[in-house]
Amino acid sequence: MFLPAVHAETDTAVLLQFIRENPLGILITGISSSEQDFLQCSHVPFVLDLPDESGDAGPQGRLRAHIAKQNPQVKAMIEAVENKPPSVLEFDDEVLVLFNGKHDHYVTPKFYVETKPDTGKVIYGKLSLLYDSKIPETDAFLTKQLHDLSEHTERSTMGYIGGDKPQPWKVNDAPDRYIEIMKRNVVGIEIRINKIEGKFKMSQEKPPGDRDGVVKGFESLGTETGEAISALVKARGELYDAKRQEVKNE
């Protein structure tokens, strides 16, 4: 990932919070296979475990997900480890997971002529595959994964938190047979984070006049995306100015 210093976000806590707020990632792998393409990617909603939330999440945290066994990417994974015991199988090579922000937009030259704002986060890590639900360890992983992902999306994405709003749907609301069949048809994915990188390319390095033009330009669109980008450009610009001032005062 190309990370110019002016756009790079080096605060790991900020990057991890971004993933919590934007859990739909793109899992990218390169696996030699006799039948599947070498390069594969899948859009996957991830659960993020922070280092201090679980004793086995690793020093930099962990991503958890589940993917359908019929996915060509999963078929390539299973082929790569088919001669190994069907338990928790770790791949030798790293995988890449890309997370993007919810909003993106073309920037008209009427705002300014340079680059357009965007955000992106990537994680590099070692992937472990859990694909036989008959094994207790795999079954426990999938049970927890389905529960945690449901809780996160029901509460954070749908806003179902109870009280004046609807109660969140729970996996236990589904029939046991349905859950059992579902676990048979998916594999568990666990990625221990080795490195996390991210950037906010939101015009923060531009002169105040240019930044103000972008803020007002997007705000004038009157759309949800326009308002979100306008607010982010303003916030990242203020943060950039504050950091520059700190450097001057040192």
Side-chain angles (χ1 to χ4, degrees):
M1 184 174 180
F2 180 48
L3 287 173
V6 69
H7 299 139
E9 176 56 69
T10 58
D11 189 333
T12 300
V14 171
L15 298 177
L16 293 176
Q17 181 60 31
F18 180 92
I19 293 171
R20 277 261 166 96
E21 296 172 356
N22 301 274
L24 183 62
I26 303 175
L27 173 63
I28 304 168
T29 58
I31 302 172
S32 296
S33 168
S34 61
E35 297 183 1
Q36 312 301 329
D37 292 334
F38 176 74
L39 289 174
Q40 296 276 357
C41 68
S42 299
H43 287 80
V44 184
F46 284 92
V47 173
L48 172 66
D49 295 326
L50 298 178
D52 59 352
E53 291 181 332
S54 172
D56 58 354
Q60 298 191 65
R62 172 180 62 183
L63 293 173
R64 288 185 284 119
H66 61 277
I67 311 179
K69 284 184 178 177
Q70 293 304 310
N71 185 318
Q73 189 173 26
V74 171
K75 290 183 178 181
M77 292 178 186
I78 293 176
E79 180 184 344
V81 296
E82 61 183 353
N83 294 323
K84 298 180 180 180
S87 56
V88 180
L89 303 167
E90 184 174 292
F91 288 83
D92 294 330
D93 297 324
E94 284 189 327
V95 299
L96 177 68
V97 185
L98 171 65
F99 296 91
N100 286 315
K102 293 184 176 69
H103 303 283
D104 61 80
H105 204 289
Y106 162 74
V107 180
T108 172
K110 292 182 179 180
F111 295 170
Y112 66 77
V113 192
E114 302 296 332
T115 55
K116 62 181 180 180
D118 68 2
T119 60
K121 311 288 171 291
V122 294
I123 280 180
Y124 301 85
K126 285 296 187 71
L127 182 147
S128 295
L129 179 69
L130 301 93
Y131 69 93
D132 187 347
S133 61
K134 295 179 182 178
I135 296 175
E137 185 176 3
T138 300
D139 182 74
F141 178 94
L142 291 174
T143 298
K144 178 175 174 56
Q145 166 62 19
L146 294 172
H147 172 271
D148 290 351
L149 182 61
S150 172
E151 279 287 294
H152 180 69
T153 52
E154 286 285 306
R155 293 178 180 276
S156 298
T157 304
M158 300 304 300
Y160 294 162
I161 57 176
D164 295 335
K165 296 187 177 182
Q167 292 289 334
W169 180 86
K170 297 182 181 297
V171 174
N172 291 339
D173 294 339
D176 292 342
R177 179 62 177 164
Y178 172 83
I179 299 173
E180 180 183 344
I181 293 174
M182 184 176 182
K183 286 193 288 189
R184 288 181 186 174
N185 288 280
V186 300
V187 299
I189 299 293
E190 179 183 75
I191 301 174
R192 291 184 180 274
I193 299 171
N194 291 339
K195 181 173 67 172
I196 179 171
E197 297 178 340
K199 67 178 180 181
F200 288 88
K201 189 178 178 184
M202 303 303 293
S203 309
Q204 59 263 49
E205 79 281 14
K206 300 298 178 184
D210 281 350
R211 288 204 314 248
D212 188 54
V214 175
V215 169
K216 291 179 179 178
F218 276 111
E219 191 176 48
S220 69
L221 296 178
T223 64
E224 179 184 354
T225 296
E227 291 177 0
I229 294 179
S230 174
L232 188 53
V233 170
K234 185 174 186 296
R236 297 304 298 189
E238 292 174 349
L239 181 60
Y240 176 77
D241 290 343
K243 288 183 177 179
R244 290 191 66 188
Q245 188 61 46
E246 287 179 7
V247 172
K248 289 181 179 179
N249 293 338
E250 289 179 354

